[in-house]
Amino acid sequence: MNWQVVKDLVTYGREQEKLHNKNFRFTLTTNGVLLSDEIMEFCNREMANVVLSVDGRKEVHDFMRPFRKGTGSYDMIMPKFKKFADSRNQQKYYVRGTFTHYNLDFANDVLHLADEGFEQISVEPVVAPATEEYALKESDIPAILAEYDKLAAEMVKREKEGRGFTFFHYMIDLSGGPCVYKRLSGCGSGTEYLAVTPWGDLYPCHQFVGIEKYLMGNVDEGITRPDIVDEFKCCNVYTKEKCRNCFAKFYCSGGCAANSYNFHGTIQDAYDIGCELQRKRVECAIMIKAALADNADKE
Ligand code: SF4
Ligand code: SF4
C-alpha cells in the first residue's frame, strides 16, 4: 500500500550492504490485491523470497478474506499469483494460507493450490483467542491430525507419480538440517531477529508489537532493554518444561514465543494445540521420507 517505501528501503539497503560488506535478503508478503507487473518485475530483481497469501479453495479464501463490500479477492489474485510464481520459475516463493475451524478439511486447500500449479505451498493453522469463532478448538484436533495424514499420503502418491510439490511444514532434513544452536532456540526472535515498526520501535518480532513490556528500544537509541534480549536468549527447548521430553524438540525448537505469551502470559511455555499439530507434522514428514526412501531402494 506504500510501494514507494518498499522501493526506497531496498535502495537504501543496497547502498548499505556495499558499505558494510553485507548481503541483505529482502522478502515481500502480499495479498495480491495491488500486485502489478511492475511490482512483480521489481520483486524478481530484488526479493530473495515472496509470500503470496491465499487460503486455498475459492470459497474458503473468499469467506475469510472479503473486501469491505463483501465480495472476495480470489478471482482477482489467482491469475496474478500464477503468473508471479511462474515468473520466478516456481522457486523462491510460497503461496501461504491459513486454515481455521471453518475448513478442517484443509488438505483439500493444499491440494487445490497444487492442482492450480503451485509447487511451493504453506498452509498453517490459525492461532486465535478461543473467543473467535474461527479459532481452532481442542475438539478439532482429531480431524486436523487425520487431515495431515491424508495430505502426507497424497503427497507420497504424487511424488511417486512425478508431480510432487513442497509443503513447507513437511520439510525436514534428517541427515543434516539446522545447526544445533538453531535446533535449540528456533526462530531467533529477540536475539538475532527484530521487528521494526513504521515509527521506529524495536520488538522481538512482529507478534510482540504493541506489547509495552517487550519494547526493546528504537532505531535512534538502539537496544535500550538488553534484559529482554537475555530473556529470549534463555528461552529454548531445555528451559521449557513442556519441551524437555518432547520427541519433536530438535525439529520444533521450542515453538513460537509469541503464541506461548498470548496463551500463557510467558514466553517460557508452549501453546498446547500448536504442539499437538507440530508433533503430527514432524511425524508425517518422517513418514514421507521413509516412504520415498523405500521407493528409491526398490528402484
Ligand atoms: S512441540 Fe511443543 S513441547 Fe514439543 S518442542 Fe515444540 S513447543 Fe516444545
Ligand atoms: S511469531 Fe513466533 S515463530 Fe514467528 S518470529 Fe515471532 S516468536 Fe518467532
Side-chain angles (χ1 to χ4, degrees), residues 40-184:
M40 288 188 218
E41 277 161 29
F42 181 88
C43 291
N44 289 347
R45 252 191 347 265
E46 300 289 357
M47 301 282 167
N49 197 15
V50 290
V51 182
L52 315 177
S53 301
V54 51
D55 288 336
R57 291 162 293 178
K58 175 178 162 65
E59 62 273 22
V60 170
H61 178 89
D62 285 348
F63 184 71
M64 288 305 285
R65 296 172 183 265
F67 287 116
R68 278 187 177 199
K69 59 186 177 193
T71 54
S73 57
Y74 180 93
D75 290 336
M76 178 198 266
I77 63 167
M78 276 302 257
K80 294 196 258 184
F81 281 176
K82 285 181 193 176
K83 184 176 174 186
F84 203 3
D86 284 340
S87 73
R88 295 176 74 84
N89 299 320
Q90 288 292 334
Q91 286 170 358
K92 297 183 178 163
Y93 82 95
Y94 273 99
V95 278
R96 193 257 183 236
T98 302
F99 70 86
T100 71
H101 176 67
Y102 297 135
N103 62 315
L104 297 176
D105 62 342
F106 63 90
N108 292 329
D109 293 290
V110 178
L111 297 175
H112 171 77
L113 293 169
D115 290 341
E116 289 294 316
F118 296 107
E119 293 179 19
Q120 315 295 335
I121 303 171
S122 170
V123 174
E124 302 187 21
V126 73
V127 179
T131 45
E132 296 290 351
E133 269 188 39
Y134 60 79
L136 299 175
K137 300 161 189 15
E138 290 273 345
S139 56
D140 293 336
I141 290 177
I144 298 172
L145 301 187
E147 206 65 11
Y148 276 129
D149 276 335
K150 179 180 147 190
L151 177 62
E154 178 64 20
M155 285 180 66
V156 170
K157 181 168 162 274
R158 289 188 181 207
E159 189 66 39
K160 287 179 180 173
E161 292 168 357
R163 52 191 190 109
F165 62 90
T166 302
F167 181 59
F168 181 75
H169 282 104
Y170 288 170
M171 287 169 76
I172 196 166
D173 186 346
L174 298 175
S175 50
C179 60
V180 171
Y181 171 69
K182 271 276 171 208
R183 284 173 185 247
L184 297 181

Side-chain angles (χ1 to χ4, degrees), residues 237 240-256 269-272 274-279:
V237 290
K240 293 185 176 192
E241 196 58 43
K242 279 182 189 160
C243 303
R244 267 189 219 153
N245 297 318
C246 174
F247 89 88
K249 63 176 177 274
F250 294 125
Y251 294 102
C252 163
S253 315
C256 166
D269 209 313
Y271 161 52
D272 301 284
C275 289
E276 288 256 16
L277 306 190
Q278 173 69 353
R279 281 190 281 266

Side-chain angles (χ1 to χ4, degrees), residues 187-189 193 204-208 232 255-259:
C187 68
S189 58
Y193 177 90
C205 86
H206 58 291
Q207 291 277 0
F208 288 95
F232 277 79
C256 166
N259 288 351

